[in-house]
Amino acid sequence: MNQAIETSAAPDYPQLLGHPRPLWMLFMTEFWERFAFYSVSWALALYIVAQFFHGDPSGQAWASGIFGAYTALIYGTGIFGGWVADKLIGYQRTILLGAAVMAAGLFTLMLPQRTMLLLGLALVIVGDGLFKPNISSMVGQLYARDDERRDRGFTLFYMGINAGAFVAPLFTGWLASYFTDTPMEQNYRVVFLAAGVGMLLSLLWFWFGRRQLKGVGRPAPGAESRLRVLWVLLGVIVAVPAVYYLLSSVGPGGLQWLLGLLFVAVAAMLLVEAARHDRVQTHRVLAMLIIFAFNVLFWMFYYQLGTSFNFLAENLVDRKMFGGWVFPVGWFQSVSPLAIIVLAPLVTLVWAWLSKRRCEPSIPRKFGLGLIFNALGFAVLVYALARLLSSAGLIPFWPLAMCYVMQTVGELCLSPIGLSMVTKLAPPRLVGVAMGGWFMSLAVGGNLSGLVASRISGVSGMTAASALSGFTFSFWLLAGAGLLLLLISPLINKLMHGVR
């Protein structure tokens, strides 16, 4: 079964709760992968400052740069993972190989040397590059192209992502705080251990559940040889040192140029393939690429959650609660996924209700709303830093929590819709590459987020003044981009030729 057939007509799956049964297997596979990913995400920058700078705030800038580069490469390598699945070994084998490599990297992070930190991150990056775009692409292959349940299926899948993201900081944060008689950098290594176990569970879940897929995601005819898997594994062995070099020597600035060139290359591949079809497919790819550009801006500021928001919570937020209990920094990372778990079903129902009345916002309008809600989150922080700063130099607890909730509303307008958009607008033979292009836009935004956070922290660490300045800039750029996208939405809708 080739890719074009898979995306236009899906197998007749047994249904569970109104969706193909394999959706729920993919849901849990993604749950455990996201548990592993977000365990590392909340702890990484804090661990770097604690372990390698002995808690000195001057380490915030380097930690932010590493976090941004790590986030960027996690998503940037997705284009290669999509190509491996499309052209070499199929989706199922690519996912399994990526899960194994990622698990090895997570366990490597436990070793307390800077070299091992970067090697572990390199393994995680390469493994997740193989895993992440292909698990998302397989969700699209469960539905026919014109199946009206597709967007709702992606939103449910997105709840799996955020269920893992919600549990990870709470559980691993508790694990770290439980070992209270050890230095904090050791506590963070317990977090990495739990992440590795979570990734092994993801691997096992997909290994035993893949029979439900009825052949979807298997290698194409003529590509079944296991020798191809060996060649891909050799490619992984080459890729890991290359990624290590990018983390250790190239730095976020040089990486931004590389990511930009890769993004242009992906765009060119998609446009060339679209031109082989017809004018309609070319227009659809152009619409997709325009939305990708706005997607960069959303994630450039959203990913402050792993850097500047963490440093804000640690140093500038009053976290004292009832009875003298102090709210853990890492637990802020669970606010957004909790809000998504609560709000995602409501948003799904709203889109369905509006769809029945033929007034559901189009894809570009949803993206514009996403950018504006992200901007409103920063507006809350700007207000708090300008008006609510105490004599002790701290802002209240609620503005940062409210910022996460506002960003979550924006994320629900944008991210699950983006995954579905790619499967609807991409050329049928390059759905995996197009999904890699989607994650490439996240990569560019992720790396820029590290550069922004490094600028906010400066050489001596974040202050209330530097945070106010940086977050004010963030608000205006996001709000302006959101309004612009709403204004040009009719043009983008025309390019999409009826896809909504």
Side-chain angles (χ1 to χ4, degrees), residues 318-375:
D318 184 359
R319 295 181 285 113
K320 288 184 179 179
M321 300 288 148
F322 47 86
W325 176 68
V326 178
F327 189 88
V329 171
W331 284 17
F332 277 105
Q333 303 290 314
S334 289
V335 174
S336 288
L338 175 61
I340 286 180
I341 293 168
V342 172
L343 296 176
L346 299 178
V347 171
T348 300
L349 291 173
V350 169
W351 294 152
W353 185 83
L354 291 173
S355 177
K356 289 180 180 179
R357 288 154 181 78
R358 298 186 177 182
C359 54
E360 181 179 1
S362 63
I363 290 171
R365 287 194 174 98
K366 288 177 181 177
F367 269 70
L369 292 172
L371 288 163
I372 288 172
F373 277 109
N374 196 348

Side-chain angles (χ1 to χ4, degrees), residues 16-299:
L16 179 64
L17 300 178
H19 289 270
R21 186 181 295 272
L23 173 67
W24 306 104
M25 182 274 291
L26 297 177
F27 177 104
M28 287 305 301
T29 301
E30 181 73 350
F31 169 90
W32 285 114
E33 185 272 338
R34 290 291 90 182
F35 172 88
F37 178 80
Y38 282 101
S39 294
V40 174
S41 292
W42 82 259
L44 180 59
L46 297 172
Y47 168 68
I48 289 173
V49 174
Q51 175 70 46
F52 303 112
F53 294 88
H54 308 292
D56 192 321
S58 65
Q60 292 178 10
W62 190 78
S64 296
I66 289 295
F67 180 89
Y70 161 72
T71 303
L73 288 167
I74 278 279
Y75 291 114
T77 51
I79 181 57
F80 301 107
W83 182 83
V84 167
D86 277 336
K87 301 296 184 182
L88 295 180
I89 62 174
Y91 290 84
Q92 292 189 24
R93 289 177 174 179
T94 306
I95 289 168
L96 290 169
L97 179 60
V101 174
M102 189 177 174
L106 292 166
F107 290 121
T108 303
L109 291 177
M110 296 176 62
L111 303 175
Q113 292 88 32
R114 190 173 301 204
T115 300
M116 291 295 102
L117 169 76
L118 298 178
L119 176 60
L121 292 177
L123 285 163
V124 172
I125 287 164
V126 173
D128 211 44
L130 293 169
F131 184 102
K132 193 69 176 75
N134 296 309
I135 197 79
S136 300
S137 292
M138 291 203 70
V139 174
Q141 294 174 41
L142 301 180
Y143 300 88
R145 184 182 287 269
D146 59 352
D147 191 330
E148 65 179 12
R149 300 174 301 164
R150 179 187 287 251
D151 277 8
R152 295 192 287 277
F154 269 103
T155 300
L156 290 170
F157 177 73
Y158 206 66
M159 288 181 66
I161 294 174
N162 287 280
F166 169 69
V167 171
L170 294 179
F171 179 71
T172 58
W174 172 80
L175 277 180
S177 64
Y178 180 78
F179 294 95
T180 53
D181 59 343
T182 61
M184 182 55 71
E185 53 267 26
Q186 282 186 277
N187 295 355
Y188 289 128
R189 291 202 290 277
V190 175
V191 173
F192 302 146
L193 171 63
V197 172
M199 198 61 228
L200 289 179
L201 289 173
S202 176
L203 171 63
L204 292 172
W205 205 283
F206 187 77
W207 174 268
F208 289 109
R210 59 201 168 104
R211 292 181 180 178
Q212 300 177 27
L213 295 167
K214 294 186 176 181
V216 168
R218 294 285 298 165
E224 299 93 343
S225 172
R226 294 184 180 180
L227 183 61
R228 286 184 173 228
V229 178
L230 179 59
W231 283 111
V232 173
L233 183 58
L234 291 174
V236 168
I237 294 172
V238 172
V240 169
V243 172
Y244 178 94
Y245 174 76
L246 291 173
L247 288 170
S248 62
S249 302
V250 173
L255 183 59
Q256 196 61 40
W257 283 102
L258 176 60
L259 291 171
L261 291 173
L262 287 173
F263 190 79
V264 170
V266 170
M269 288 175 64
L270 293 171
L271 287 170
V272 168
E273 177 64 24
R276 294 175 180 169
H277 286 257
D278 53 26
R279 182 175 61 89
V280 171
Q281 185 64 73
T282 301
H283 286 176
R284 286 175 173 171
V285 169
L286 285 171
M288 184 171 62
L289 293 175
I290 292 170
I291 293 174
F292 281 1
F294 283 95
N295 193 50
V296 168
L297 286 175
F298 182 90
W299 298 104

Side-chain angles (χ1 to χ4, degrees), residues 253-471:
L255 183 59
Q256 196 61 40
W257 283 102
L258 176 60
L259 291 171
L261 291 173
L262 287 173
F263 190 79
V264 170
V266 170
M269 288 175 64
L270 293 171
L271 287 170
V272 168
E273 177 64 24
R276 294 175 180 169
H277 286 257
D278 53 26
R279 182 175 61 89
V280 171
Q281 185 64 73
T282 301
H283 286 176
R284 286 175 173 171
V285 169
L286 285 171
M288 184 171 62
L289 293 175
I290 292 170
I291 293 174
F292 281 1
F294 283 95
N295 193 50
V296 168
L297 286 175
F298 182 90
W299 298 104
M300 172 179 172
F301 297 106
Y302 181 91
Y303 281 130
Q304 297 304 310
L305 59 85
T307 51
S308 64
F309 285 4
N310 261 350
F311 299 134
L312 181 78
E314 188 173 48
N315 301 305
L316 295 173
V317 173
D318 184 359
R319 295 181 285 113
K320 288 184 179 179
M321 300 288 148
F322 47 86
W325 176 68
V326 178
F327 189 88
V329 171
W331 284 17
F332 277 105
Q333 303 290 314
S334 289
V335 174
S336 288
L338 175 61
I340 286 180
I341 293 168
V342 172
L343 296 176
L346 299 178
V347 171
T348 300
L349 291 173
V350 169
W351 294 152
W353 185 83
L354 291 173
S355 177
K356 289 180 180 179
R357 288 154 181 78
R358 298 186 177 182
C359 54
E360 181 179 1
S362 63
I363 290 171
R365 287 194 174 98
K366 288 177 181 177
F367 269 70
L369 292 172
L371 288 163
I372 288 172
F373 277 109
N374 196 348
L376 292 175
F378 279 95
V380 174
L381 291 181
V382 168
Y383 173 79
L385 288 163
R387 300 294 181 88
L388 303 180
L389 202 66
S390 70
S391 58
L394 302 176
I395 64 172
F397 173 91
W398 68 263
L400 182 55
M402 179 62 69
C403 174
Y404 277 114
V405 173
M406 298 301 291
Q407 286 190 322
T408 297
V409 177
E411 185 182 359
L412 279 171
C413 291
L414 177 149
S415 193
I417 307 306
L419 295 173
S420 179
M421 172 198 71
V422 171
T423 65
K424 291 190 282 189
L425 294 179
R429 291 179 61 247
L430 290 182
V431 174
V433 172
M435 194 65 74
W438 163 260
F439 289 113
M440 183 67 71
S441 68
L442 273 73
V444 175
N447 193 61
L448 287 171
S449 77
L451 293 171
V452 169
S454 295
R455 194 68 173 265
I456 293 173
S457 290
V459 296
S460 58
M462 175 185 287
T463 64
S466 69
L468 177 60
S469 175
F471 296 160

